[in-house]
Each structure stands twice: as structure tokens, then as C-alpha cells.
């Protein structure tokens, strides 16, 4: 679930991405100030647009992905009900870009540059992530963009498959995180060993003094 708001770029519209359309043909239907976006083939909802949203949620501060409170989510669902949409929006409230720990790392069997990792994120969850960085190795503290994360450039992270191996997220470089003075060399951002696993990356972003 991705919530995105950028009044300067697109107007007073809250965009909600609920699923990956995977290049399938999509259509839309509108009721009141809400537009539902769905896959033509099977009707699966992949997104919502809430127009003039500041009338309901007040002034939102964001230039990309934002995070809503439980109360704000309840207000969105009330808007859906008021215009007779039957679906509701549910969000687990967990951060999407977090500090991870690479527990295992081995070479991809069908690639000379990819590695397959088992990386712990928040809540003790372990994700299999395929990584192409030359400096990836077991034992590192890293930044993980989990599925449903929106990156600083607006791109979204979804589960994928790289050369026959499923991958559930991305281990990020400083450049992908748009950190200042990011190294030009290819490679993931390696965090200090004492960094807490599972913490939201924005919480520690300002405290970083070393990029590697």
C-alpha cells in the first residue's frame, strides 16, 4: 500500500497504490471525488485517486510517499462508503524502507554478477532479495526497500524474479536513496555495525556520517 501526495506537481490529490498492474490494461470508474483504477481483465483494484483531499484530511505535507495515521485511514474509508464504493483500504502501518541485516549471501547460479541474499528486516521477517551490487556480503547492515516502497525518484518496489529466482525488495545504494555526496562507484550503502535492524531508514538518515 503506497500513499503519495504532491500538491505542487499534481494538485490536491491523494494517490493510493494498492497493487502492481504488471503492465496489464487498466480502466477506471469515478464516484464523487474518488476514482478507482482497476485491471480490465479481472477487475482487481490497483489504485485510488482522492481529489480535493485537503477538505477531509487537512493540509498534507508531502512530495511523494507519505504515511497516514489510523484516523486518516478511517476518514478515507468513510469517503469510500459515502459514495457507495464497497471496498475499503487497509494498511499494516509498517515502514517500507528499513535497516536490514544480510544473514546469508551466495552467488546466483545463473548469473556472474547477481547474488541471492536472505536479509532480515523489521519484525524479524527475512526476505529473499536478489542483489547486483559488487560489494554485497553476509554480515552487513544495509538499507532495504521492501515491496510497496516508493523510492525518492518516485519508482515503486514490487516482488520480482531475476533469472529464475524470486526477489522481495531491493538493497539500496546511497545514490538510489538520493543521499548527498553519494559515491559514484556502484555498490550498496553499508551502514555502521551498531545500526539497529528494523528501524525506519528516515529515522537514521540525518545521523549518517559515513557512506561506504
Amino acid at each position: 500500500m503506497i500513499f503519495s501526495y504532491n500538491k505542487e506537481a499534481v494538485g490536491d490529490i491523494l494517490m493510493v497504490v494498492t497493487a502492481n498492474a504488471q503492465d496489464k490494461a487498466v480502466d477506471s470508474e469515478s464516484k464523487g471525488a474518488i476514482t478507482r483504477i482497476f485491471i480490465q481483465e479481472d477487475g482487481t483494484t490497483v489504485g485510488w485517486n482522492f481529489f480535493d483531499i485537503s477538505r477531509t484530511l487537512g493540509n498534507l505535507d508531502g512530495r511523494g510517499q507519505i504515511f497516514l495515521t489510523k484516523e486518516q485511514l478511517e476518514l478515507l474509508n468513510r469517503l469510500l462508503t459515502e459514495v457507495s464504493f464497497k471496498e475499503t483500504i487497509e494498511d499494516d502501518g509498517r515502514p517500507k524502507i528499513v535497516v536490514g541485516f544480510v544473514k546469508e549471501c551466495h552467488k546466483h547460479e545463473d548469473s556472474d554478477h547477481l547474488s541471492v541474499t536472505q536479509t532480515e528486516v523489521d519484525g524479524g521477517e527475512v526476505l529473499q532479495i536478489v542483489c547486483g551490487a559488487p560489494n554485497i556480503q553476509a554480515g552487513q547492515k544495509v538499507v532495504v526497500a521492501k515491496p510497496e516502497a516508493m523510492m525518492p525518484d518516485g519508482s515503486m518496489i514490487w516482488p520480482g524474479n531475476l533469472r529464475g529466482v524470486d526477489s522481495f525488495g531491493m538493497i539500496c545504494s546511497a545514490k538510489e536513496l538520493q543521499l548527498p555526496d553519494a559515491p559514484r562507484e556502484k555498490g550498496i550503502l553499508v551502514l555502521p555495525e551498531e545500526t539497529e535492524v528494523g528501524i525506519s531508514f528516515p529515522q537514521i538518515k540525518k545521523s549518517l556520517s559515513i557512506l561506504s
Side-chain angles (χ1 to χ4, degrees):
M1 184 76 62
I2 298 171
F3 301 96
S4 178
Y5 184 80
N6 190 331
K7 189 173 183 179
E8 293 182 5
V10 299
D12 190 20
I13 306 169
L14 176 67
M15 295 180 286
V16 183
V17 181
T18 59
N20 185 5
Q22 297 180 330
D23 298 322
K24 296 180 180 178
V26 298
D27 205 341
S28 64
E29 60 171 329
S30 298
K31 296 181 182 181
I34 303 174
T35 296
R36 169 181 171 257
I37 304 158
F38 59 92
I39 296 174
Q40 288 182 352
E41 182 180 358
D42 58 12
T44 299
T45 299
V46 295
W48 301 90
N49 288 339
F50 291 81
F51 296 87
D52 299 321
I53 193 59
S54 61
R55 295 182 180 181
T56 302
L57 299 188
N59 293 327
L60 295 175
D61 182 19
R63 294 186 178 180
Q65 186 172 18
I66 63 173
F67 300 90
L68 301 185
T69 65
K70 180 180 178 181
E71 291 74 19
Q72 289 173 321
L73 191 60
E74 290 174 350
L75 287 172
L76 290 185
N77 285 326
R78 189 173 74 185
L79 290 178
L80 291 173
T81 300
E82 288 176 352
V83 295
S84 301
F85 278 116
K86 296 181 180 180
E87 295 183 53
T88 58
I89 297 173
E90 298 181 3
D91 181 52
D92 60 17
R94 294 170 62 184
K96 302 303 180 185
I97 302 181
V98 302
V99 174
F101 175 68
V102 183
K103 301 183 72 173
E104 300 178 18
C105 180
H106 62 270
K107 291 296 183 182
H108 192 298
E109 294 183 354
D110 191 33
S111 171
D112 59 2
H113 71 282
L114 295 176
S115 298
V116 181
T117 76
Q118 301 296 324
T119 302
E120 182 180 350
V121 290
D122 54 316
E125 181 181 12
V126 177
L127 300 176
Q128 177 170 283
I129 301 176
V130 179
C131 179
N135 63 327
I136 184 72
Q137 57 182 309
Q140 293 172 329
K141 298 287 182 66
V142 295
V143 180
V144 177
K146 302 189 301 182
E148 301 184 0
M150 177 179 283
M151 299 300 293
D153 65 0
S155 61
M156 291 178 285
I157 305 300
W158 300 105
N161 185 285
L162 295 174
R163 297 205 175 188
V165 176
D166 291 334
S167 182
F168 300 93
M170 180 175 74
I171 298 177
C172 305
S173 69
K175 182 178 180 180
E176 289 164 335
L177 294 166
Q178 294 188 357
L179 295 179
D181 302 320
R184 293 185 179 182
E185 296 81 6
K186 292 184 179 180
I188 53 147
L189 173 66
V190 181
L191 301 173
E193 291 184 5
E194 65 271 17
T195 310
E196 180 183 349
V197 175
I199 194 171
S200 170
F201 178 67
Q203 290 182 255
I204 66 164
K205 183 177 178 180
K206 292 183 180 180
S207 68
L208 288 179
S209 59
I210 300 176
L211 300 180
S212 57

